[in-house]
């Protein structure tokens, strides 16, 4: 066996060993779906058994409606809930891009803004009152403020709806992760 044959053999065996080690390392990794046992699994069943507290205003109702749809997969609220989700939502609209106006007053008008929707939530078991998951989340929607007042009000409402839906999806993912364990 020549020296070049020996070097080629070493390279091939080294690459074989490296490949075998990487396959062994990858074999230890797992990818587990969020709803663990599929759409009819335990996490999905637990999500469908969540009762959500009543809303106090329109934006909170938007978050609540989206959460009911997400947790129950469109089947509505549970008849015999195993969990209760206490939900408290707040929202505010603020300008972020101000344009100076030509009129005599010192006020500047916002040409764009953002809608921030925040929620505090607490998921408890109805049988024991034990807290399963608690937290707070927020979602932001960017909004253009047109000069016409009705269009501005409608743009803000649209931003609130978008932020409420996004917030519901974030909270729904938190709940699914907590119940999937």
């Amino acid at each position: 066996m020549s020296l070049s044959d020996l070097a080629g053999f070493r390279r091939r065996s080294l690459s074989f060993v490296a490949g075998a080690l990487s396959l062994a390392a990858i074999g230890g990794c797992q990818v587990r779906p969020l709803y663990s046992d599929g759409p009819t699994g335990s996490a999905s069943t637990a999500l469908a058994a969540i009762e959500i507290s009543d809303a106090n205003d329109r934006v909170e109702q938007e978050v609540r409606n989206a959460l009911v749809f997400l947790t129950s997969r469109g089947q509505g609220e549970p008849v015999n809930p195993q969990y209760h989700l206490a939900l408290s939502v707040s929202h505010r609209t603020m300008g972020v891009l101000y344009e100076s106006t030509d009129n005599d007053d010192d006020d500047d008008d916002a040409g764009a803004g953002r809608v921030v929707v925040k929620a505090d939530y607490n998921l408890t078991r109805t049988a024991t009152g034990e807290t399963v998951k608690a937290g707070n989340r927020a979602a932001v929607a960017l909004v253009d403020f047109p000069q016409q007042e009705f269009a501005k009000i409608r743009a803000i409402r649209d931003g609130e709806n978008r932020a409420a839906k996004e917030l519901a999806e974030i909270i729904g993912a938190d709940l699914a992760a907590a119940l999937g364990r």
Side-chain angles (χ1 to χ4, degrees):
M1 193 184 256
S2 71
L3 191 58
S4 64
D5 291 339
L6 185 59
F9 177 73
R10 282 186 181 170
R11 268 188 251 126
R12 283 190 302 271
S13 56
L14 184 60
S15 64
F16 176 75
V17 169
L21 286 175
S22 63
L23 283 175
I26 290 174
C29 296
Q30 294 183 30
V31 176
R32 198 178 94 189
L34 182 62
Y35 297 111
S36 64
D37 300 331
T40 60
S42 61
S44 183
T45 304
L47 280 172
I50 296 176
E51 165 190 57
I52 302 172
S53 63
D54 291 334
N56 295 324
D57 67 359
R58 191 194 68 76
V59 176
E60 189 169 357
Q61 186 68 44
E62 290 288 334
V63 175
R64 184 183 185 282
N65 289 349
L67 270 172
V68 167
F69 186 80
L70 287 171
T71 57
S72 68
R73 307 263 181 177
Q75 296 182 4
E77 296 187 66
V79 177
N80 298 318
Q82 297 174 3
Y83 300 94
H84 176 76
L85 181 68
L87 186 65
S88 174
V89 176
S90 63
H91 59 94
R92 69 180 255 210
T93 303
M94 61 195 87
V96 293
L97 181 63
Y98 290 93
E99 302 167 355
S100 55
T101 57
D102 292 335
N103 25 352
D104 294 334
D105 58 5
D106 293 333
D107 295 335
D108 291 336
D109 291 332
R114 76 170 115 204
V115 175
V116 180
V117 179
K118 295 180 180 181
D120 294 320
Y121 64 93
N122 187 20
L123 181 68
T124 57
R125 294 185 199 280
T126 54
T128 63
E130 166 195 5
T131 296
V132 177
K133 175 76 175 161
N136 52 18
R137 294 294 191 162
V140 177
L142 301 178
V143 180
D144 284 332
F145 292 149
Q147 293 297 318
Q148 184 184 23
E149 192 61 29
F150 178 76
K152 182 178 180 180
I153 291 169
R154 192 62 220 174
I156 291 170
R157 178 173 279 199
D158 180 55
E160 290 169 347
N161 292 346
R162 286 184 286 124
K165 185 174 182 180
E166 181 180 341
L167 181 62
E169 290 175 2
I170 293 169
I171 294 172
D174 282 353
L175 298 177
L179 295 172
R181 292 184 191 147

